[in-house]
Amino acid sequence: MTKLSTKHLLGIKDISTDDINLILTTADSFKEVINRPIKKVPSLRDITIANLFFENSTRTKLSFELAQKRLSADVLNFSSSGSSVKKGETLIDTVNNILAMKVDMVVMRHPNPGAAAFLAKHVDAKIINAGDGAHEHPTQALLDAYSIKEKLGTIKGKKIAIIGDILHSRVALSNIFCLQKLGAEVMVCGPTTLMPKYISSLGVKVEHDLRKALEWCDVANMLRIQMERQDIKYFPSLREYTMLFGLNKDLLDSLSKKIVIMHPGPINRGVEITSDVADSDQSIILNQVENGIAVRMAVLFLLAGRV
Ligand code: CP
């Protein structure tokens, strides 16, 4: 198989395992490219891509832009702050105006779940979801899967614990879909108040004791508490959260085996993870960032259909 069976990348739930494997295999070639002295290839010459960010981002925005530039695409960057969205322009009008400038592909981050799927129905361009509210963040899950495979050799049969604010996390949902499709066992761990009610229906194990989750897993993916999405209090204090669900070096060193530590970023150092854990030799956090470029190059290249 050399072509994706999908026109857009809106989420992991609706793409096939073959599509995921094709993206990961293609990313291997691009990982080699980005480590060459000359890192640029002409694969997407004459393709124009608009990056539309209606919500803050550091890693995803920079990673997509660099991936596009490494592939020789023409890149337009739009951020809703400072744009005519502030004057009341709708999403469809904003995007149609950008598409009138002959744009082939749109990468969009938006605070509303379903925004990327809505766009895919209403505009004639290839859409990549760069995070839609608490729904999905497909390229994060793909780069996480790539990083686990790179570190452990395989994903099949591995035990992955996703720990923290599961309720508000698009990373958790996309990771669950992706890792299960690739044959991993997935556990979620966090306070009861930060677990969605439907979580058991996803076929994951649910644990509320951090030590038990860490003893079970091969990989712990530590998530940030998403204060910006919390309109009520879900736990008494950050201090208490850290005492019960924060990972520190003493706890990590006391486990019966060495586990791999991941974090999608941004990290709240000293809350969900201490600095000595984030920066330890068990952490692959910066490998995730590097792999994000290769994985996004693969997604852009395959969706452009220039195979
Ligand atoms: N992991 C992630 O999506 O980070 P940003 O919000 O900085 O893009």
Side-chain angles (χ1 to χ4, degrees), residues 50-54 61 76-85 89 91 94 98 107:
N51 298 315
L52 313 185
F53 279 74
F54 293 85
K61 194 170 181 214
L76 276 180
N77 285 314
F78 167 93
S79 149
S80 58
S81 57
S83 76
S84 290
V85 170
E89 193 165 31
L91 175 60
T94 303
I98 291 166
V107 174

Side-chain angles (χ1 to χ4, degrees), residues 17 20 22 45 100 117 131 180 189 195 206 218 251 253 264 271-272 283 292:
T17 306
I20 294 172
L22 177 60
R45 193 178 284 158
Q180 287 181 335
C189 174
M195 284 295 163
V206 181
D218 301 303
L251 177 54
D253 290 344
V271 179
E272 69 273 8
S283 160

